[in-house]
Amino acid sequence: AQNVAGVTGHDLATESGDAAVSINSSLLGDNVGSGLGEAQTRDAAFNLIGSSNGSGVIDPGIARLARRGGRTETHALLLGSPAVDAVMDGTGVSAEADQRGTPFNRNVGDAPDMGAFELQALGDVAFFTVTTLQDELDFFNTELSLREALAFAAGSVGIETIRFDATLFSEPGVIELRLGQLQIDDSLVIEGPGSSLLRIDAGGDSRVIDVTGEQIDLRIAGLTLTGGDTSGISGPTPVASAGAGGGLRFVGSGALDLEDVSFDSNITTESGAHGGALFASGINIKIDSSQLFGNSTNGDDAGGGAIFVDAGSLLLTDSRLMGNGTTGAMGLGGAIASTDSDITLSDVVIESNST
């Protein structure tokens, strides 16, 4: 489903004279060009088959391709997907795990799900307790990195809480991002040990965290985001720039709750790349007991040296913004800039910022 072809047969094309096509327990979004009959409800072979020439294409209800546990990227099934529990009573399904491998079971619920991904919740907190500060994506060793914990959370139903093993912080620690920005597209909680004890450092090679999706509730506490740099990442302006948010970008809908989070020395450089530390569009933001120091936007028409809020809201309490700035032409708001957003500040120190 959701494939594209230049002529016809977006999902499956057969030529005249081909041998018979037989499918079972499968979802075909659009049957045009396939020679298969439409089945908006499961047919005798447990197929779901849509048609753009009939009652409509079937939306499979899947998330974008991403790491969600295991060695390969997968499309997660969304809650309400017609592919969930849709295989014929598990007949012919012998694998113990889905494409991702253990611990993702292949048969959860009334029957297996169509496709390579089985929708399920991982209840064991071991999958969400970070035990190494190395930035790695190897699910088959004995350590769990933050990036791996995020992947497990993305592949699990519900709002998971990621925590860090206390033994990692006999002294302040740092996660140096070797594999690029951290990607989040599902609701979750990240509970760090404290902003003075844990830094996540992009090293000037990428943004630190990118959040995209609808109805995402994200809480982050007790860590520092630093070294984010979106240089070379450009996109449409003014508010949807791909290079916005040097430390954290959140685009879509939902809520962002930050407590004891520091943004230190994050930058954007492209035109229209708003929010040196934080850019959010369509998001309701709450920031408490946090600090934003030395963040900047350097491109023209790039506002909000520290924070830029578009079409959302910002509640900022008990925090400090200092030494942030914009250097490009028409770069408004050395500390904070916004469009179409409600801004509320309480017990906040804003000083020594510049435009």
Side-chain angles (χ1 to χ4, degrees):
Q2 297 183 340
N3 300 289
V4 177
V7 182
T8 188
H10 295 311
D11 289 330
L12 175 65
T14 60
E15 296 290 339
S16 177
D18 280 355
V21 176
S22 176
I23 66 173
N24 62 76
S25 295
S26 298
L27 188 153
L28 193 71
D30 191 350
N31 70 350
V32 173
S34 71
L36 297 171
E38 182 177 4
Q40 292 288 333
T41 58
R42 288 190 298 178
D43 61 17
F46 283 68
N47 298 307
L48 291 168
I49 304 174
S51 177
S52 56
N53 289 339
S55 299
V57 174
I58 294 177
D59 183 350
I62 57 176
R64 66 176 186 86
L65 191 65
R67 284 295 183 96
R68 305 178 190 279
R71 293 187 181 275
T72 59
E73 295 183 331
T74 52
H75 287 288
L77 296 179
L78 302 176
L79 291 173
S81 167
V84 173
D85 292 348
V87 172
M88 59 170 81
D89 304 324
T91 302
V93 176
S94 59
E96 294 183 357
D98 69 10
Q99 176 179 312
R100 297 167 292 175
T102 305
F104 295 98
N105 296 323
R106 186 64 186 96
N107 190 349
V108 177
D110 295 333
D113 302 339
M114 290 179 177
F117 184 97
E118 185 76 14
L119 191 65
Q120 58 197 277
L122 295 177
D124 192 338
V125 296
F127 298 120
F128 309 109
T129 302
V130 175
T131 59
T132 178
L133 298 183
Q134 296 298 311
D135 184 27
E136 61 183 23
L137 200 57
D138 178 2
F139 297 96
F140 298 95
N141 62 19
T142 59
E143 297 179 326
L144 186 73
S145 69
L146 174 58
R147 193 178 296 272
E148 290 165 340
L150 288 172
F152 277 129
S156 179
V157 176
I159 300 178
E160 308 294 353
T161 297
I162 295 174
R163 296 183 172 89
F164 295 80
D165 191 317
T167 61
L168 295 172
F169 304 105
S170 57
E171 59 183 20
V174 57
I175 298 174
E176 297 179 351
L177 298 183
R178 302 183 302 108
L179 304 177
Q181 67 185 17
L182 299 170
Q183 185 70 47
I184 297 173
D185 62 2
D186 195 14
S187 297
L188 66 101
V189 177
I190 302 174
E191 291 283 356
S195 59
S196 63
L197 289 176
L198 175 59
R199 291 186 299 121
I200 303 177
D201 189 350
D205 295 326
S206 70
R207 179 186 290 113
V208 183
I209 296 176
D210 193 33
V211 188
T212 56
E214 302 302 320
Q215 299 180 339
I216 295 176
D217 292 333
L218 174 63
R219 172 177 164 79
I220 302 175
L223 50 80
T224 293
L225 305 182
T226 187
D229 185 341
T230 60
S231 297
I233 304 176
S234 59
T237 58
V239 297
S241 173
L248 190 155
R249 183 180 73 153
F250 193 160
V251 178
S253 65
L256 175 63
D257 182 359
L258 302 176
E259 181 179 1
D260 184 27
V261 174
S262 291
F263 289 84
D264 184 5
S265 303
N266 302 284
I267 66 171
T268 70
T269 62
E270 303 301 320
S271 176
H274 303 300
L278 169 63
F279 172 85
S281 181
I283 309 302
N284 296 316
I285 308 168
K286 178 183 177 182
I287 303 176
D288 182 59
S289 303
S290 296
Q291 302 182 80
L292 296 93
F293 291 161
N295 305 283
S296 64
T297 64
N298 297 337
D300 294 342
D301 299 307
I307 301 172
F308 191 98
V309 186
D310 168 60
S313 66
L314 171 65
L315 172 61
L316 182 61
T317 60
D318 192 24
S319 297
R320 187 176 184 184
L321 293 81
M322 182 176 179
N324 306 287
T326 63
T327 63
M330 299 300 294
L332 305 178
I336 302 172
S338 68
T339 56
D340 302 320
S341 300
D342 295 327
I343 307 296
T344 304
L345 309 180
S346 177
D347 193 18
V348 176
V349 176
I350 303 177
E351 60 178 341
S352 302
N353 302 283
S354 62
T355 58

